[in-house]
Amino acid sequence: MEITFGNSTFLPIFSPLLCMCSGCHGCMDEERDALLQIKASINSPEGTAFSSWYGEDCCQWEGVQCNASTTRVSSIFFNYRRDPSLLENWYPNATLFAQFKDLEILHLGGNQIAGFTSPEASSAFSKQLNLQDNSIENASHLCWGKGALPSLYYLDLSGNNLRGFIPECLCDSLLLKQLILFYNHLHGEISLCLSNMTALQYLDLSNNQFSDSLPTFPFHNLPSIDTLILSGNKFRGKFSFSIFANLSKLSHLDISYNPYLELETESRTCFPSIKLIELSLAGCNQRKLPRFLSSQNTLKTLDLSDNLLEGNIPSWLMHNATLQLWVRGNNLSGPFPKTFGNISSRLTSLDISNNSFYGPLLEDIHLIFPELLYLSASDNGFNGGIPPSFGRLKRLQSLDLSGNKLHGEIQYLLTSNMSRLQYLYLHDNNLRGDALPRNLSFSKLEVIHLGNNDFTGNLLDSLPWSLLQSPALPQLRVLILLGNHLEGQTPHWLCQMRHLEILDLSRNNLSGHIPDCFDNITSWSDFSHGHYLYLSVLDLSSNRLNGSIPVQITQLKALMLLNLSHNKLFGELSPELTKLTGLEMLDVSHNKLFGELCPELTNLTFLEIFDVSFNNLSGTIPVGNQFGTFDASSYIGNPGLCGIPLSRKCGVVVEKPPKSNGNVLLSNMATTNNLLFPCVLFLPVVNFVYLGGLISTSF
């Protein structure tokens, strides 16, 4: 038989082979159909998830992975796909997942799942099941029948609304190695049936409401346990580490923030044999260090924060904790802690903040703690200057010495050795002189907070400003210098820091005009730039600035807080300010602004704080949207303003201040070099809720 591409017999002969190989280049038909039904279900009634799915090969679809040899679906990652605007809970049909014969990993977190229909098909939930951040309240929805999940080794039910006791049906999965139940509403005692899960290696019951006595649970029946997290509960009674004596594999233990738990001081002769790598006893109202710690010479991380510990840190503790030691928020006192015999420590993170340590800082800190990445000694009583040795901590990424009694200059602090520094907090001290040294480049520095000190200098021709010229600080996101004695004009080269999110120069002695180049700062003018860590803030309040508000400020669409109050600014307000659609706080009070408030300002629907008081404004106060929430204090001190919420009714003619030829419209400023006057409003010295919380770093 002659076979050519043109022969009609070609297709009949080879069509069976083509059918047999149809799965070689795509997923199975039944699995594709099941995925499409799941898509329809997760989108019911009007969702838009998986709009990128196209083509016949479902192995190429978003969130789907297939076995390379069988082309069967092996993993499904459908986390946070259900549209949050769909208020109804989702009850997926377990039968659909039974179509995936080789399914090993199923992630359905964050989809408002409250349970499953056809739970008898739950054996499809193969080896790894993640249902975190859903809406499962009734534990009975997790009872899929004895032996229903014979191969399950990983189960994550964290962040649901599980209430009551741990359902005993979970204990049927005897091969389970990881069980994660944190952030639920479970209470009472830990179910004894968990002690039958001898294969369990990782157990997280944190942030629930368990209130039983810990020793009542037979932890010794969990010989494979490696990580045990019990923090953020209400466990009661006396507790001894001896209950973990037979857990030879236990290396990570967290019982922090159990304020009703009373930790016993063990006898020196009864130390348990466990060798921990990480231990957290934070927030347990401990007044003394457990003697048990003296035998833990394999510790890498030790957290004793937020207790009632007194005295100094013993040198052996500085030796036993080899990587991270956190003792913030206690009553510890004495000089800056050292290692025994000043032997070099391997610590990479040391937090002794919010205690009562006093005296000078270590003169040889670079020799005692040469590996430090993170150091926080804030809110203590340290005095004297900052030794030059701090400038020799070559690996340091974050330094916080704020809230002490430090004085003197800091020209020797930042050296070329500290090129890895990202966060610098020296605020609330008595530091003086020039804030930063000359001619140095810090390519990774993101935060500089030097507020509330005694720094002086002219912003244009003296330190610290020479350092801030591009590209010296290309990654800077936060610059806070409030509450110092800085003078001169606000320099234009601030506009070269394109990633700046917070600029606070308030409560200084700055003069001159506001720079007209702030629209060069990308993070303020472009929403797509992203503000992952901080608010977007511009605060120039309580200075001696004059002139008008530059028109370029109306381009800062991503700005959230704008404070220009307590200056000598003049000019009219313009409707162009309505472009600042993200504003939440706006304050231009205590200036010399005149003209009327434009009605379009009511389009700033995110405004929570608005203050134009003590200017020379006139006309009717705008009505509508957020403006219905502002009281009279936002407008007082403007004799020409009328209307709600003021008691002054409109209709009475009030003579307006004469207009200056150079101050008519903001648009004039676009074609002249004269500064103009936009339409602004803003918050009093909110003095930034962000100062402590929004820009704090943690390691």
Side-chain angles (χ1 to χ4, degrees), residues 409-428:
E409 301 184 1
I410 62 169
Q411 67 268 34
Y412 299 112
L413 172 59
L414 294 180
T415 69
S416 58
N417 289 327
M418 301 186 73
S419 59
R420 299 185 183 183
L421 194 65
Q422 298 179 40
Y423 308 96
L424 177 64
Y425 304 94
L426 299 178
H427 55 91
D428 295 288

Side-chain angles (χ1 to χ4, degrees), residues 294-486:
S294 63
S295 67
Q296 295 299 300
N297 52 20
T298 60
L299 275 175
K300 291 184 178 180
T301 299
L302 176 61
D303 189 356
L304 298 170
S305 303
D306 301 323
N307 279 292
L308 302 172
L309 300 174
E310 298 178 344
N312 208 336
I313 301 177
S315 56
W316 60 262
L317 189 61
M318 305 291 291
H319 174 74
N320 282 16
T322 58
L323 286 182
Q324 301 180 104
L325 177 60
W326 303 322
V327 293
R328 66 179 179 272
N330 281 281
N331 298 319
L332 297 167
S333 59
F336 199 103
K338 295 183 178 183
T339 57
F340 180 76
N342 291 343
I343 299 174
S344 291
S345 168
R346 290 177 292 168
L347 280 177
T348 60
S349 178
L350 176 62
D351 189 345
I352 60 173
S353 62
N354 196 16
N355 279 284
S356 299
F357 293 107
Y358 55 82
L361 299 173
L362 291 181
E363 292 285 348
D364 52 356
I365 191 169
H366 67 297
L367 298 177
I368 298 177
F369 299 107
E371 304 297 322
L372 278 181
L373 302 176
Y374 170 83
L375 173 61
S376 179
S378 63
D379 298 307
N380 280 286
F382 294 115
N383 54 33
I386 302 177
S389 59
F390 277 74
R392 302 189 188 110
L393 293 170
K394 297 181 179 181
R395 303 186 64 201
L396 198 64
Q397 298 176 11
S398 178
L399 175 62
D400 189 350
L401 300 176
S402 62
N404 282 285
K405 301 175 182 178
L406 301 173
H407 58 79
E409 301 184 1
I410 62 169
Q411 67 268 34
Y412 299 112
L413 172 59
L414 294 180
T415 69
S416 58
N417 289 327
M418 301 186 73
S419 59
R420 299 185 183 183
L421 194 65
Q422 298 179 40
Y423 308 96
L424 177 64
Y425 304 94
L426 299 178
H427 55 91
D428 295 288
N429 279 288
N430 300 310
L431 299 169
R432 55 182 171 80
D434 297 323
L436 297 173
R438 291 180 182 269
N439 302 323
L440 290 179
S441 178
F442 290 86
S443 60
K444 297 183 179 180
L445 198 57
E446 294 186 21
V447 176
I448 300 175
H449 191 348
L450 306 178
N452 298 320
N453 279 287
D454 294 318
F455 292 116
T456 57
N458 187 291
L459 299 187
L460 286 178
D461 54 16
S462 68
L463 301 174
W465 310 105
S466 60
L467 175 63
L468 299 177
Q469 297 182 38
S470 177
L473 299 171
Q475 300 301 321
L476 195 67
R477 294 180 178 272
V478 177
L479 178 60
I480 302 177
L481 295 167
L482 82 160
N484 283 283
H485 306 289
L486 302 172

Side-chain angles (χ1 to χ4, degrees), residues 499-556:
H499 301 291
L500 198 62
E501 296 182 16
I502 295 176
L503 176 61
D504 187 349
L505 303 178
S506 63
R507 293 194 287 119
N508 280 284
N509 297 313
L510 303 179
S511 58
H513 294 178
I514 297 174
D516 58 1
C517 57
F518 280 142
D519 56 331
N520 290 333
I521 299 178
T522 309
S523 60
W524 287 346
S525 58
D526 185 1
F527 279 111
S528 65
H529 181 79
H531 300 273
Y532 302 109
L533 298 177
Y534 317 111
L535 293 172
S536 50
V537 176
L538 173 59
D539 191 344
L540 302 177
S541 63
S542 299
N543 282 286
R544 295 185 290 113
L545 300 173
N546 55 38
S548 60
I549 303 168
V551 66
Q552 286 80 5
I553 282 185
T554 66
Q555 304 301 316
L556 308 184

Side-chain angles (χ1 to χ4, degrees), residues 41-102:
S41 176
I42 201 172
N43 284 326
S44 177
E46 296 179 347
T48 59
F50 307 116
S51 58
S52 64
W53 284 7
Y54 63 91
E56 295 294 317
D57 185 4
C58 63
C59 293
Q60 303 299 319
W61 289 356
E62 177 187 10
V64 180
Q65 293 182 5
C66 294
N67 185 301
S69 59
T70 66
T71 70
R72 285 190 172 275
V73 173
S74 59
S75 302
I76 292 177
F77 300 96
F78 290 175
N79 292 319
Y80 304 96
R81 300 297 182 178
R82 185 167 172 82
D83 192 332
S85 65
L86 302 177
L87 301 180
E88 304 88 352
N89 286 328
W90 183 35
Y91 291 85
N93 189 336
T95 304
L96 295 177
F97 297 96
Q99 305 302 316
F100 309 110
K101 306 302 182 182
D102 291 349

Side-chain angles (χ1 to χ4, degrees), residues 203-221:
L203 177 61
D204 189 345
L205 303 178
S206 61
N207 296 100
N208 280 282
Q209 300 175 29
F210 293 110
S211 57
D212 198 21
S213 174
L214 274 182
T216 61
F217 183 82
F219 288 101
H220 60 272
N221 286 351

Side-chain angles (χ1 to χ4, degrees), residues 135-148:
S135 305
I136 302 173
E137 294 185 11
N138 191 340
S140 64
H141 290 160
L142 304 175
C143 297
W144 297 306
K146 191 173 183 63

